[in-house]
Structure formats: C-alpha cells, structure tokens
Amino acid sequence: MKVEIVSAIPAYDAALCAVIQSVGAEFGAIGEGFGPSDPEVLAMSENYSESNRSVYLVALVNGKVVGGCGLAPFGLHDGVCELKKLFLLPEPGDLGWVRNSYNSVCLLRGSKVIHLVT
C-alpha cells in the first residue's frame, strides 16, 4: 500500500468534496451549520493557502483520495494550530497513522498546541 500526505491542489477538490460530504452524511452532519455543507468544501485547495497561513492536507492511498484535514492558526493565539475539517473514509482500514501525521505536521509548522473542534 502506497501512502502519501500531500497539499491540496485543484485536481483533488472534487474527490475531497465527495469524501467530506460522504463522511458527513454517514454521521448525520448535513445541512446548514455542519462543515460538509460549507461552501469552502467545493474548493479546499483555494480556501487553504499560505497567504492565510493555512494548508489543507490530503491523504492518498494508492493514489486515491481517502481524506483530508485543514491546518490553520487558531485565532490570535501564537503557537496554537487548529485542525479543521478532518474527514477520512472508513476504508482501507485503520487510518490512525493519518491522524498522527496531521498532528506531526501541525507541530512541525511551529505550533505547540493543537486545537480540535468536534
């Protein structure tokens, strides 16, 4: 199994949108007020960029988009990174390594604390 964590690019936007909406629907997170319904979901690569100090990371397994997670500063708190829109397909099995990878990247970007809104 080939595993990659890469930055979002426009070529991944449609697949990311499908994953986010599918996982959201699985947990009843559909409609206004839920992340999968936010307009930014249609173009994650455009809404997460270095210009606003954020990045959306894509999890690929054998070249297939299986999930993603946004990393962004948390408000005005220096050293605090926020995980945003973390969505992973249930296959191909345990993807705990993906969550750990996102945490590692957040810390490598200079954050000392990771904030997760559930």
Side-chain angles (χ1 to χ4, degrees), residues 4-17:
E4 298 175 90
I5 304 289
V6 299
S7 294
I9 58 172
Y12 297 136
D13 283 342
L16 283 170
C17 182

Side-chain angles (χ1 to χ4, degrees), residues 34 51 62 110:
F34 292 101
S51 64
N62 297 328

Side-chain angles (χ1 to χ4, degrees), residues 1-107:
M1 171 173 23
K2 182 180 179 188
V3 176
E4 298 175 90
I5 304 289
V6 299
S7 294
I9 58 172
Y12 297 136
D13 283 342
L16 283 170
C17 182
V19 167
I20 291 168
Q21 291 177 345
S22 170
V23 173
E26 179 182 349
F27 292 97
I30 52 175
E32 189 173 335
F34 292 101
S37 299
D38 292 346
E40 73 180 8
V41 169
L42 300 172
M44 298 303 274
S45 66
E46 292 178 21
N47 290 289
Y48 289 80
S49 65
E50 288 301 319
S51 64
N52 61 14
R53 299 177 47 216
S54 66
V55 62
Y56 198 84
L57 299 174
V58 181
L60 302 172
V61 174
N62 297 328
K64 177 186 175 192
V65 173
V66 296
C69 176
L71 303 174
F74 180 62
L76 300 175
H77 305 282
D78 284 337
V80 180
C81 178
E82 181 176 17
L83 294 177
K84 301 174 77 167
K85 292 193 172 52
L86 170 58
F87 290 90
L88 296 168
L89 292 175
E91 79 277 342
D94 179 26
L95 291 176
W97 58 266
V98 174
R99 290 179 190 88
N100 291 336
S101 296
Y102 291 142
N103 291 344
S104 297
V105 170
C106 200
L107 294 172

